[in-house]
Amino acid sequence: MSLNDAYLISQILAVVLVVPTLFYLAYQSRQNTLQLRAMARFQWVEASGHFNALVAGQTAAASVFRRGWDIPDELTADERMQFLVHMGQFMQIYSTMYELHQDRLLPDSQWHNCRQDMIAVMNSPGCLWVWETFGRKGLDPDFVTYMESLKNESEQSYDLTGSGRPGSPTA
């Protein structure tokens, strides 16, 4: 066997081995995408869990949330700051979830829950105060446009507060 024959055999082997390598890379890419989607789902669950634990775990926090939801002017200055920071942080989480959904990393089934929350937020007087104070100025312009469109949304959200009125607590 000449050196040229060995070279030709090595080239044939290289071509034959490229096909399985491409299949392996495609498989790995798909697995990576699935992992990113799973992480995005978990990120939403974890972020909303922290929010819910704060409100559910402390009567004072639940009181500030419930009263701030409808009439933030009735809160003390410190309570208004708590409500502003609390809802402002959650608006940042919504913005992240929006980006993940736009990048097709957050599935529609989970996006539905986020969107329902955002509709409730944009129909709450207290949350609109936070939106005007922080959200409109501090968040990504594409997300701001999306949130603004939810103010005119005819679809009703679910009841976030257990009051019997969608998205609105009672005093």
Side-chain angles (χ1 to χ4, degrees):
M1 176 185 310
S2 71
L3 192 56
N4 190 37
D5 292 338
Y7 172 76
L8 291 175
I9 291 172
S10 71
Q11 290 300 308
I12 291 170
L13 282 174
V15 168
V16 169
L17 293 176
V18 164
V19 173
T21 302
L22 289 176
F23 280 120
Y24 176 75
L25 290 174
Y27 174 77
Q28 289 294 353
S29 178
R30 184 174 187 278
Q31 291 299 105
N32 187 45
T33 300
L34 292 174
Q35 181 65 31
L36 287 173
R37 286 182 180 164
M39 287 172 44
R41 287 178 170 154
F42 183 74
Q43 182 179 9
W44 166 248
V45 170
E46 186 175 299
S48 61
H50 287 300
F51 174 78
N52 293 335
L54 178 65
V55 173
Q58 299 176 9
T59 303
S63 175
V64 168
F65 177 74
R66 183 182 48 78
R67 290 180 292 126
W69 188 268
D70 273 339
I71 310 169
D73 293 337
E74 292 184 4
L75 299 174
T76 67
D78 290 340
E79 289 172 335
R80 283 169 46 102
M81 179 58 71
Q82 275 184 301
F83 189 73
L84 174 70
V85 169
H86 187 79
M87 288 309 301
Q89 177 63 34
F90 219 67
M91 287 178 184
Q92 288 179 327
I93 293 167
Y94 289 143
S95 179
T96 301
M97 295 298 104
Y98 174 80
E99 289 176 20
L100 289 170
H101 186 257
Q102 294 300 310
D103 292 341
R104 307 185 128 227
L105 293 173
L106 189 70
D108 289 339
S109 60
Q110 210 154 9
W111 175 245
H112 175 77
N113 295 337
C114 296
R115 186 173 182 280
Q116 291 299 309
D117 283 359
M118 290 186 283
I119 290 170
V121 163
M122 294 308 282
N123 287 297
S124 156
C127 293
L128 282 175
W129 167 73
V130 174
W131 179 252
E132 295 299 326
T133 304
F134 161 75
R136 182 181 289 186
K137 300 171 191 117
L139 297 170
D140 178 72
D142 289 339
F143 178 69
V144 169
T145 301
Y146 180 78
M147 286 292 279
E148 290 288 328
S149 76
L150 295 180
K151 282 199 287 192
N152 303 320
E153 182 66 44
S154 62
E155 181 181 343
Q156 288 289 323
S157 178
Y158 46 77
D159 181 2
L160 288 174
T161 62
S163 67
R165 296 183 329 206
S168 179
T170 57

